[in-house]
Amino acid sequence: MQPIIKTFPTTKFIGINSQFSYSDYRIGELWGKFMPRRNEIRNALGTDLFNIQINPENFDFNPQTEFVKWAVVPVSDFDFLPEGMQSLIVEEGLYAVFNHIGDASKARETFGYIFGVWLPNSEYELDNRPHFEILGEKYKNNAPDSEEEIWIPIKKRI
């Protein structure tokens, strides 16, 4: 599984966020709050959903270390912000983009490969910027043929 190296442009998002850890992973709760309200966002660009993770500085992947997870859609502007939602800007940056196929239970294998095999053997290192998945038209929540793009922030090794 080889990634495509891409530059993600600066993008504006609107959605909701929550703070939790891998040991207290409440992603279903976050998306359960967002999905019924996503159509309140008037200036959405396309239909893709973004699952964005913002890690603290020097994130160690410890199951108890907390991070912020966002359920969002890209928008053209912040002129209208639905009540209870927040805005987020992801700045331009270099990413390794992996195509994940399978249900959520297979994600652990994919991320294990990315961080345990591909990244250490590549010419890149992890950059401290948002990680995200793009849930596009081929995404089918927990279906074995579901597809999503996993975007990992990278920078060239020095």
Side-chain angles (χ1 to χ4, degrees), residues 27 34 48 54 65 87 119 135 140 150:
I27 195 69
F34 177 71
D48 290 348
I54 300 176
T65 301
S87 60
L119 192 59
L135 314 176
K140 304 172 195 164
I150 297 172

Short mmCIF file of all heavy atoms in Angstrom, two decimals, residues 27 34 48 54 65 87 119 135 140 150:
data_model
loop_
_atom_site.label_atom_id
_atom_site.label_comp_id
_atom_site.label_asym_id
_atom_site.label_seq_id
_atom_site.Cartn_x
_atom_site.Cartn_y
_atom_site.Cartn_z
N ILE A 27 -16.08 8.40 18.86
CA ILE A 27 -16.28 8.96 17.52
C ILE A 27 -17.73 8.81 17.06
O ILE A 27 -18.27 9.70 16.40
CB ILE A 27 -15.28 8.35 16.50
CG1 ILE A 27 -15.24 9.19 15.23
CG2 ILE A 27 -15.61 6.91 16.21
CD1 ILE A 27 -14.63 10.53 15.39
N PHE A 34 -23.37 15.29 14.78
CA PHE A 34 -23.16 16.13 13.60
C PHE A 34 -24.10 15.80 12.43
O PHE A 34 -24.66 16.70 11.80
CB PHE A 34 -21.71 16.02 13.12
CG PHE A 34 -21.44 16.80 11.87
CD1 PHE A 34 -21.40 18.18 11.90
CD2 PHE A 34 -21.23 16.16 10.66
CE1 PHE A 34 -21.17 18.92 10.74
CE2 PHE A 34 -20.99 16.87 9.50
CZ PHE A 34 -20.95 18.26 9.54
N ASP A 48 -18.48 15.75 0.45
CA ASP A 48 -17.53 15.00 1.26
C ASP A 48 -17.59 15.43 2.73
O ASP A 48 -17.75 16.60 3.04
CB ASP A 48 -16.10 15.19 0.76
CG ASP A 48 -15.85 14.52 -0.58
OD1 ASP A 48 -16.68 13.72 -1.03
OD2 ASP A 48 -14.79 14.81 -1.18
N ILE A 54 -6.82 16.64 15.61
CA ILE A 54 -5.76 17.57 15.95
C ILE A 54 -5.11 17.07 17.23
O ILE A 54 -5.74 17.02 18.29
CB ILE A 54 -6.29 19.00 16.10
CG1 ILE A 54 -6.92 19.44 14.76
CG2 ILE A 54 -5.18 19.95 16.54
CD1 ILE A 54 -7.56 20.79 14.77
N THR A 65 -3.73 9.58 25.99
CA THR A 65 -3.45 10.96 25.57
C THR A 65 -4.63 11.51 24.78
O THR A 65 -5.08 10.90 23.81
CB THR A 65 -2.17 11.02 24.71
OG1 THR A 65 -1.07 10.50 25.47
CG2 THR A 65 -1.85 12.45 24.30
N SER A 87 -15.97 26.90 13.63
CA SER A 87 -15.20 26.98 12.38
C SER A 87 -13.78 26.47 12.63
O SER A 87 -13.28 26.52 13.76
CB SER A 87 -15.16 28.42 11.88
OG SER A 87 -14.55 29.27 12.83
N LEU A 119 5.89 4.84 7.23
CA LEU A 119 6.53 6.09 7.68
C LEU A 119 7.99 5.89 8.10
O LEU A 119 8.87 6.62 7.62
CB LEU A 119 5.71 6.74 8.80
CG LEU A 119 6.09 8.17 9.16
CD1 LEU A 119 5.97 9.12 7.97
CD2 LEU A 119 5.21 8.67 10.31
N LEU A 135 -14.35 11.24 3.84
CA LEU A 135 -15.41 10.26 3.67
C LEU A 135 -16.23 10.72 2.46
O LEU A 135 -17.14 11.53 2.60
CB LEU A 135 -16.27 10.17 4.93
CG LEU A 135 -15.47 10.07 6.25
CD1 LEU A 135 -16.41 10.07 7.44
CD2 LEU A 135 -14.56 8.87 6.26
N LYS A 140 -19.02 3.95 2.94
CA LYS A 140 -20.26 3.30 3.39
C LYS A 140 -20.02 2.84 4.82
O LYS A 140 -19.40 1.79 5.02
CB LYS A 140 -20.59 2.10 2.49
CG LYS A 140 -20.70 2.41 1.02
CD LYS A 140 -20.82 1.11 0.24
CE LYS A 140 -20.57 1.36 -1.24
NZ LYS A 140 -20.31 0.12 -1.95
N ILE A 150 -7.16 8.43 3.74
CA ILE A 150 -6.51 8.78 5.00
C ILE A 150 -5.36 9.72 4.66
O ILE A 150 -4.47 9.37 3.88
CB ILE A 150 -5.98 7.52 5.72
CG1 ILE A 150 -7.14 6.60 6.08
CG2 ILE A 150 -5.15 7.91 6.95
CD1 ILE A 150 -6.72 5.26 6.63
#
